[in-house]
Amino acid sequence: MESQIDGADAETADCWQLDHPEVDQTKKIVLHNVADLTVSGIHRLCSSYGTVVNAFKTHTPGLAFVEFSNETEAAIAVKQLNMKLGFNYNADLAMAKETLPTVKTVTPNDEAKDVPLTDESWERTSLKRRFNLGFSLPLLINFPAQESLATSAHYRCLTDGCLRRTDPELFFRIYKVQELFDTPKLMFYDPKELQKRNNASEKKYADERNHFDGEFFTYRGLTEEERAHFELKYCVVCKGLGFSYCKDCGTHYCCIEHQRQHLEKHNRYCPPGERAGGSTPTDINSDAEAEPAATNVLKRDPLPTKVEVIITAILTPDRIYVRSAEKSAIEEYVETIGEFAAAGLNAAPVVKSKAPTSGDIYLAMYEPLGVYGRVLVVDVDAKKSKCVFIDYGMVVFVSNDALLLIDDPALAHRKVLVYKVCLTNITDEQGEREKAVQYLLSLKDRPLRMHYRLEGNNIVDVQLQTPEGESVNDMINQLIKILPLKNMRSNSYVMYKDLIQTAPAVGNSKQIMILNRTTILLDSRITWISLEDLPYLKNLQSMLECYGKKVAEFEQSYLPREGEMCLVECLKRWYRGVCYETAGDGKPAIFLCDYGSMTLVDLSNIRKIPIQLATKAVRTHDGTVAHLDEAKAEGLTLDAMFLDIYLPENELVTVDISQNTVVEGLPSAQEKETYTLINLHELDIFLKSRNVQ
């Protein structure tokens, strides 16, 4: 690290060296912005990092020098003053001004000559100028699985299919694959075995065919009992053996592909609800395995292909709920939600009469409007159930005690007036998706023109357009995408000290994940993040990865300023970094602020970071482990096994979080510094047991 001293400050440094020729210059550090501190205050400030041999202030306002007893303490002081105090003191090792390091070589005339160092020699020399403590690689986090409330697969029970009693058309799911008609039950078969059996059957009974009657064959030489047991059915498409069939009309198919090809024609002569043999709806109700009556299922009217809609809920930038903006539909919608709001005022809790059941419909409080609405229970847990608000489209967890009974079955199965749609051609980029959601929220009360395609009861390939003619789909993509910077040397940059640092949530029994513990031996500190902020970090990491892939092939690297935010590649992954020092070997020390680790990064792996990514808040924190300093002083050894048991990385641990404010300095120049104290439950129990023994 080159000295920051020049001019009058350089003269002061030279005087220091002349007065102390025997002292190694790497034991001293230079501090800036200390005009308000006295020499005693500076001494007390730095004494927590080691033994202070001497300290004095220069004639330059705000500049001071501090000498420690050894190089290690000086390096620790520089790192801690910069990290914990946000570069306010701009600490640096106080190196005297020097020229490019040289080595002695001998010429053919036996004359010694100074020549510049080679790359290898320069690397060895520059190591003395680096922070040689606390270097570590970023943690590859095992993010806990987050159950998405926008997942459509949860609207159907996979075990017994009970949701089909109330939701036969699966109103709330979106799949971009074509759905087969709902009624047939397909036989399980191996395609190779099917072809083998088909060929064998054709050969065996080629001479036994009596006549062709439509799509079916009969055979000579078989008794009635044998014919009933061995009656062959043929695919309506290719005339091969059909092993799957529609249970309503008896139409057979040899494979799913032919089933799909014949789907449109099949639905014309076998519409849903009709039975094989000309059965009527009356017959359906008498069937023991039939679907429930029409009054006991959810129903919904089809939408025109081109229609005006209003957004009711937003799940993701490409998954939204809408309702018709036609006057009659709006009146019906308002009447429906009004009746459910009134019904909830006198409804009885479900838990008083029975336990909530997956697939049933109840009432629950819809918080955004403060009224009751009907919910379809998707998944039941001991305390909370996953529910979908049928008339709003939001998926939430509702306490079982908050679910209310609907006495009127006709009211419970009132017609559904919202539709889940899939916007087409929305980018997969993990950019500023929150901006797209905010844009959609701004359109919630406006009628939008919707064009779509119906695919297997799913509304897909949806195009939305504002009344002004603006394409909503295109606007969403423009908001999400982060374009690569054209001017790598742009004057727009972000300094780490100006970045927003969120305050840690103080309280007991908090769940956190330790991201870095390399400083635990130094001052009992760890870097951690709360469980609630892990999804934020996961989303941020996805955005950095997506943008990093865009600029990975740029030949032009970027040399950031000290303290500037940048984009760095480490272990083939992209991170936000802070340049800590720019050594001349092309491998500056970079602090990965979201993971709390310091590492050396080759200059070729550094890119300029766009402001959208640089300015996102840092939600990781430093914390001092409670009682650990005392335990170390009493002889506790922190080996690898101890750390893995009581301070595990990449695992959720339960802790109590508090803050402690310390006043430092003389009364005339006092400073307050707030420390975060982490009390790990398992470690605290262990340390207390040692004291008892």
Side-chain angles (χ1 to χ4, degrees), residues 135-412:
F135 279 81
S136 62
L137 295 175
L139 184 69
L140 296 179
I141 300 178
N142 294 324
F143 290 101
Q146 297 289 323
E147 189 171 24
S148 173
L149 294 180
T151 302
S152 58
H154 294 150
Y155 294 129
R156 182 177 184 177
C157 183
L158 300 179
T159 55
D160 56 8
C162 60
L163 284 189
R164 297 191 58 186
R165 295 200 305 270
T166 58
D167 191 16
E169 295 183 23
L170 302 176
F171 296 133
F172 303 104
R173 78 171 172 180
I174 286 288
Y175 292 135
K176 296 203 73 174
V177 297
Q178 188 174 5
E179 296 282 340
L180 295 178
F181 43 84
D182 194 46
T183 51
K185 294 184 178 179
L186 304 182
M187 298 178 62
F188 294 99
Y189 61 88
D190 183 352
K192 294 183 179 179
E193 180 65 20
L194 173 64
Q195 186 64 38
K196 182 178 179 181
R197 292 170 60 187
N198 188 11
N199 296 337
S201 298
E202 289 287 351
K203 182 178 180 181
K204 180 177 180 181
Y205 296 103
D207 299 330
E208 298 295 328
R209 294 178 181 177
N210 183 24
H211 66 278
F212 174 73
D213 183 11
E215 298 170 356
F216 304 94
F217 292 92
T218 58
Y219 300 90
R220 295 192 303 267
L222 297 178
T223 64
E224 293 296 330
E225 183 179 358
E226 290 173 338
R227 182 177 291 107
H229 181 71
F230 194 70
E231 185 173 5
L232 297 179
K233 303 295 183 182
Y234 286 82
C235 175
V236 68
V237 177
C238 68
K239 309 306 179 186
L241 285 179
F243 291 95
S244 62
Y245 62 94
C246 172
K247 68 177 183 179
D248 289 345
C249 63
T251 304
H252 279 65
Y253 303 93
C254 67
C255 61
I256 294 178
E257 285 298 323
H258 289 175
Q259 216 170 8
R260 291 184 178 182
Q261 293 178 19
H262 193 251
L263 176 61
E264 184 177 353
K265 183 183 296 185
H266 174 272
N267 287 341
R268 285 201 296 266
Y269 65 79
C270 182
E274 294 189 5
R275 292 289 180 179
S279 61
T280 63
T282 304
D283 299 324
I284 296 176
N285 294 332
S286 62
D287 190 345
E289 297 182 358
E291 298 287 343
T295 57
N296 295 327
V297 298
L298 296 173
K299 295 176 292 184
R300 184 179 63 189
D301 293 335
L303 281 175
T305 305
K306 298 180 181 179
V307 64
E308 282 193 342
V309 297
I310 297 175
I311 298 175
T312 62
I314 300 154
L315 302 181
T316 63
D318 62 337
R319 296 286 198 276
I320 63 175
Y321 282 98
V322 299
R323 59 183 175 88
S324 175
E326 294 182 1
K327 183 179 179 180
S328 59
I330 293 176
E331 293 176 353
E332 185 178 1
Y333 179 76
V334 173
E335 180 183 357
T336 298
I337 62 176
E339 291 190 18
F340 285 116
L345 298 178
N346 300 315
V350 174
V351 293
K352 288 188 177 180
S353 59
K354 63 174 184 176
T357 304
S358 177
D360 284 349
I361 297 176
Y362 305 108
L363 289 172
M365 177 61 69
Y366 184 67
E367 297 296 342
L369 296 181
V371 299
Y372 290 98
R374 61 173 170 170
V375 294
L376 173 66
V377 176
V378 178
D379 192 14
V380 179
D381 203 354
K383 295 182 179 180
K384 290 186 176 182
S385 298
K386 180 186 289 186
C387 304
V388 54
F389 277 94
I390 296 174
D391 301 296
Y392 300 101
M394 291 300 294
V395 188
V396 295
F397 286 100
V398 180
S399 173
N400 293 339
D401 297 334
L403 294 174
L404 306 178
L405 289 170
I406 303 179
D407 295 330
D408 185 1
L411 180 63

Side-chain angles (χ1 to χ4, degrees), residues 421-462:
V421 302
C422 174
L423 301 183
T424 187
N425 295 328
I426 300 300
T427 178
D428 293 331
E429 180 174 333
Q430 297 295 322
E432 298 184 276
R433 303 180 72 84
E434 62 275 10
K435 285 190 175 182
V437 173
Q438 291 298 322
Y439 169 68
L440 287 171
L441 286 173
S442 68
L443 300 176
K444 283 192 69 172
D445 298 327
R446 302 183 63 189
L448 305 173
R449 196 68 167 166
M450 186 176 80
H451 297 214
Y452 71 93
R453 181 171 60 85
L454 193 64
E455 185 176 281
N457 267 345
N458 294 316
I459 300 176
V460 297
D461 292 345
V462 175

